[in-house]
Amino acid sequence: MFGEDCLALATGKTNILLWGDSLAAHYFHGLRETTDPQAVNILQATQAACMPTFNAAAQGNASCRNFAGQMEAFFGDHKPDLVVLSADWLEYSRPPRFDGMIADLRQAISKLNGAGIAVVLLGPAVQFRARLPSMLMRAHLRDIDARSEDFLLQDIFTLDQIMKAALPAHEKFSYISVVDTICPARRCPLTIDGGIPLAWDHAHLTAEGSVYVMERLVPMLGPKLSFRSEAQRRARNLEIP
């Protein structure tokens, strides 16, 4: 069960709920660091290896079924302004599960929209063939150029296009292609900020990677979101013990 701090709405602010698995959780840091805390309140409901769905029967284990039940109860008496769905869609869509995944997502989106809640779904995250830091180190030791196309798991681009077609936008729903935004011409950054890997394993973003990605995605989430000012960012940096 989640504590009240994770799912507490804030009066007078735009309340955004990040719902999904660990590939939703890795966006939390960037979302928090990018948005103005005086205007935006971020809620987090993430459970490892659990898809954001109300269909508890489709979840693979008791923990995920409990997670689905808890979220259904939460939405029974809470109404955030925006729900952001993210997960390891590549894993949940493996044959023959794609149609079932899409059906569950459509049901969840419809239920939230019916309650007056806007929904954004973030498409497949950038994923690599193996742990990115290890791949970068091997390339360095072998004096080989680290090329994005050699490191990336190409399936993410195909799945992104299929999901986008299966989940068309409408009044209270939009689909955001993470890979289109972060990887123009299918070339994704491998390192940022002077050599920091984008991800610390095959997909989960480093803290710096999370900020890098969310700086580009937040403007697409909706007009009500305010960016953290430069003064707020500097003050935030000074809080580091």
Side-chain angles (χ1 to χ4, degrees), residues 43-170:
L43 297 76
Q44 181 180 3
T46 54
Q47 179 82 17
C50 296
M51 192 171 77
T53 177
F54 295 116
N55 185 4
Q59 297 284 7
N61 57 58
S63 177
C64 292
R65 290 191 289 273
N66 290 338
F67 179 46
Q70 182 183 0
M71 294 312 297
E72 183 149 21
F74 169 80
F75 287 114
D77 55 9
H78 294 78
K79 186 178 175 182
D81 298 289
L82 175 68
V83 172
V84 178
L85 305 177
S86 181
D88 187 355
W89 308 124
L90 196 61
E91 176 63 29
Y92 304 129
S93 66
R94 295 189 186 282
R97 295 184 289 174
F98 178 81
D99 290 342
M101 180 188 79
I102 294 298
D104 283 350
L105 289 174
R106 286 174 177 165
Q107 182 215 32
I109 293 163
S110 177
K111 186 165 186 173
L112 292 171
N113 288 170
I117 301 170
V119 178
V120 168
L121 187 144
L122 302 182
V126 176
Q127 295 199 36
F128 301 96
R129 297 177 182 272
R131 292 175 59 88
L132 178 59
S134 300
M135 295 173 72
L136 290 169
M137 180 58 71
R138 284 196 294 271
H140 173 72
L141 292 174
R142 296 171 182 172
D143 197 23
I144 299 172
D145 288 338
R147 301 193 312 164
S148 173
E149 55 267 38
D150 295 333
F151 283 26
L152 286 168
L153 196 61
Q154 296 296 323
D155 291 350
I156 58 175
F157 298 106
T158 302
L159 177 60
D160 181 60
Q161 294 302 312
I162 296 173
M163 287 186 67
K164 188 186 303 183
L167 298 166
H170 51 77

Side-chain angles (χ1 to χ4, degrees), residues 5-77:
D5 290 346
C6 295
L7 295 174
L9 298 177
T11 304
K13 296 184 180 182
T14 299
N15 290 282
I16 303 174
L17 171 62
L18 189 59
W19 181 19
D21 61 13
S22 61
L23 290 187
H26 74 164
Y27 292 128
F28 180 84
H29 175 75
L31 188 57
R32 182 183 60 184
E33 295 300 305
T34 302
T35 54
D36 180 358
Q38 297 179 5
V40 179
N41 177 49
I42 304 166
L43 297 76
Q44 181 180 3
T46 54
Q47 179 82 17
C50 296
M51 192 171 77
T53 177
F54 295 116
N55 185 4
Q59 297 284 7
N61 57 58
S63 177
C64 292
R65 290 191 289 273
N66 290 338
F67 179 46
Q70 182 183 0
M71 294 312 297
E72 183 149 21
F74 169 80
F75 287 114
D77 55 9

